Amino acid sequence: MTAVIDPTCAIAAVSGADLRVPLVQGGTSTYANFDYAASAPALKQVTDRISQLLPFYASVHRGAGYASRISTECYEASRGSVARFLDADDDQVVVFTRNTTDSLNLLAGCVPGETVVLDIEHHANFLPWTKHGRRVVRAANTVEETIQRVVAELCSKPAALLAVTGASNVTGEVLPLERLATIAHLCGARILVDAAQLAPHRRISLRESGIDYLAFSGHKLYAPFGSGVLVGRRDWLDQGEPYLAGGGAVREVGVTAVEWACAPQRHEAGSPNVLGAAAIAAACDALAAIDPTELVAHERFLADRLRDGLSAIPGVDLVNIWSDSPDCVGIVAFTIADYAPGQVAAYLSAEHAIGLRDGRFCAHPLLTSLGLDAALRASIGLGTTAADVDRLIEAVTTLITNGPTWTYAATDGHWNPTPETRPLTTSSPEGAAPCLIG
């Protein structure tokens, strides 16, 4: 069945959908958010869940009071929501962390051998794997040749883990994860997927794909309350050194000896972030309720509209890693001739109330291999509409045709309008310190 697409509407309600922001030339405009890949706004279901839980917020696992028991039940039940969302296997446990980076560093301390990675990775999935040795595979111009290079590396000598991105945080291109999982297993390795950019856009079945470990961040999954997830096979997590030493991670403590708990508690020392876990669970439940066919069709319609519109503008070049990508989530990277990406991003924000990302996206090796010092990244999410896409295309067209109407200057590597006429504080209660935005 063909999914019904209404590009004039967002696919789900998110916080800040009606946010109006000041323009440098005066007046205000509704904010067009194209920075979902950095941090996505909260889903309504998430803010509703947090509002319901806040009156019962209390210590988790360590209190007999009613509020504490409610908080504990909510925290532990959140693992079930995550496991169902990812279709986790019975042997896979859900560990709550701070974010994807935290999750990957935790797992790195448990891997009993070398890890193979690609040079396209976000730094979070590139830097942690040095404890037992990191072997880097350079991506080729095609996905197929890149996979063959991975096979060659895994066959050259034993590796414990293959760590790959689910979707590039720079270009949105998706690797064939089920195939890579099969390859890793045939070579005697396990596979870890950095799903920070994939989980918000595609349904993932750990059971069907054969993925052993997966990590993502709440703040990219419409749950910006300071929590992340590592899901994976129990044995390494049970045997690995506890990520943090402290209360909650132990069964018994003596003066000279410690008996550590099994995973997930083994890696969750200290008072847990019950609000963060509840937010992630609410986001998982909300995303699971959306028809995946409709979600993908809506996103592809908007992403294709954006790519086609930008490609038609003289001087705009789209950025891709491979020529044969099997799939791509709603991320579009591009450059504009004669303009620094930071200057373009400042112009779009100041004169058009459009927010997107510029820079190297914590993926320096990838940008270097693409021959770029920096780029622009527009990312699409559940709150994006066709009108937002058209606004971005029109604003870039105006820049190419007429140039900016304001002056911009780079200071310490950051571009800003000069002068800056917009107030960069939020309103605060009388007597309270303002929240600085800039």
Side-chain angles (χ1 to χ4, degrees):
M1 178 182 290
T2 303
V4 178
I5 304 171
D6 182 1
T8 64
C9 297
I11 201 167
V14 298
S15 298
D18 299 321
L19 177 67
R20 293 193 67 83
V21 299
L23 300 173
V24 74
Q25 66 270 29
T28 64
S29 180
T30 303
Y31 185 63
N33 185 359
F34 283 95
D35 204 15
Y36 281 78
S39 286
L43 280 166
K44 182 180 184 301
Q45 293 95 323
V46 170
T47 55
D48 288 348
R49 180 79 63 89
I50 295 303
S51 295
Q52 293 167 0
L53 181 59
L54 270 173
F56 298 95
Y57 175 75
S59 178
V60 173
H61 297 147
R62 298 171 179 83
Y66 184 74
S68 181
R69 295 191 63 180
I70 290 291
S71 291
T72 299
E73 181 66 23
C74 179
Y75 184 75
E76 291 301 332
S78 296
R79 299 189 203 275
S81 290
V82 174
R84 288 189 296 274
F85 178 64
L86 296 173
D87 189 27
D89 208 322
D90 294 339
D91 185 46
Q92 293 176 317
V93 295
V94 175
V95 181
F96 287 116
T97 64
R98 292 179 297 174
N99 46 45
T100 306
T101 301
D102 202 40
S103 296
L104 299 179
N105 277 273
L106 187 164
L107 182 61
C110 302
V111 177
E114 293 183 326
T115 299
V116 172
V117 301
L118 290 165
D119 65 344
I120 67 167
E121 302 295 332
H122 186 285
H123 296 164
N125 195 33
F126 189 80
L127 297 176
W129 313 108
T130 56
K131 182 176 181 180
H132 298 292
R134 180 186 67 206
R135 288 150 50 187
V136 181
V137 174
R138 295 194 177 276
N141 294 327
T142 65
V143 171
E144 189 59 38
E145 187 179 348
T146 299
I147 291 175
Q148 295 310 313
R149 291 183 180 184
V150 170
V151 171
E153 182 59 41
L154 289 172
C155 290
S156 67
K157 60 176 179 176
L161 184 70
L162 170 64
V164 297
T165 183
S168 168
N169 75 299
V170 177
T171 66
E173 291 166 278
V174 177
L175 285 165
L177 298 177
E178 187 171 344
R179 183 180 173 192
L180 285 170
T182 300
I183 290 169
H185 295 159
L186 288 173
C187 295
R190 297 183 183 183
I191 186 170
L192 169 281
V193 174
D194 172 359
Q197 300 297 345
L198 184 64
H201 301 274
R202 300 287 186 270
R203 291 302 303 273
I204 306 163
S205 170
L206 298 184
R207 194 185 307 271
E208 293 181 3
S209 66
I211 295 170
D212 299 293
Y213 299 92
L214 182 142
F216 67 77
S217 290
H219 73 96
K220 298 184 190 297
L221 197 81
Y222 306 94
F225 288 88
S227 194
V229 164
L230 173 65
V231 182
R233 293 172 61 177
R234 174 179 290 281
D235 55 351
W236 282 4
L237 295 173
D238 277 348
Q239 296 162 14
E241 189 73 17
Y243 187 48
L244 294 172
V250 296
R251 288 177 175 168
E252 188 68 32
V253 177
V255 175
T256 60
V258 177
E259 182 184 356
W260 298 103
C262 294
Q265 289 79 13
R266 186 184 189 90
H267 302 287
E268 292 182 354
S271 295
N273 181 359
V274 60
L275 297 180
I280 284 181
C284 288
D285 293 342
L287 285 168
I290 298 174
D291 183 340
T293 303
E294 179 184 351
L295 189 154
V296 172
H298 189 270
E299 178 183 277
R300 283 180 176 164
F301 178 89
L302 295 177
D304 289 346
R305 187 184 188 102
L306 179 57
R307 292 189 185 97
D308 291 344
L310 290 174
S311 297
I313 303 172
V316 175
D317 290 316
L318 301 186
V319 177
N320 293 294
I321 304 171
W322 300 294
S323 59
D324 61 341
S325 300
D327 189 15
C328 190
V329 302
I331 296 175
V332 180
F334 61 101
T335 59
I336 299 178
D338 302 323
Y339 286 99
Q343 182 182 7
V344 177
Y347 152 82
L348 291 170
S349 173
E351 299 185 35
H352 297 277
I354 296 172
L356 47 64
R357 185 76 180 273
D358 71 277
R360 294 193 285 173
F361 317 111
C362 295
H364 296 180
L366 174 56
L367 269 290
T368 298
S369 70
L370 294 172
L372 298 172
D373 294 325
L376 292 148
R377 182 186 70 189
S379 46
I380 291 167
L382 297 178
T384 309
T385 67
D388 296 328
V389 170
D390 293 344
R391 272 180 64 188
L392 176 54
I393 295 169
E394 182 179 354
V396 173
T397 300
T398 299
L399 176 65
I400 297 299
T401 304
N402 303 323
T405 63
W406 213 257
T407 302
Y408 299 87
T411 304
D412 296 329
H414 298 284
W415 284 84
N416 296 291
T418 55
E420 173 62 89
T421 63
R422 300 168 296 172
L424 297 182
T425 61
T426 59
S427 58
S428 303
E430 186 175 354
C435 177
L436 297 179
I437 296 177

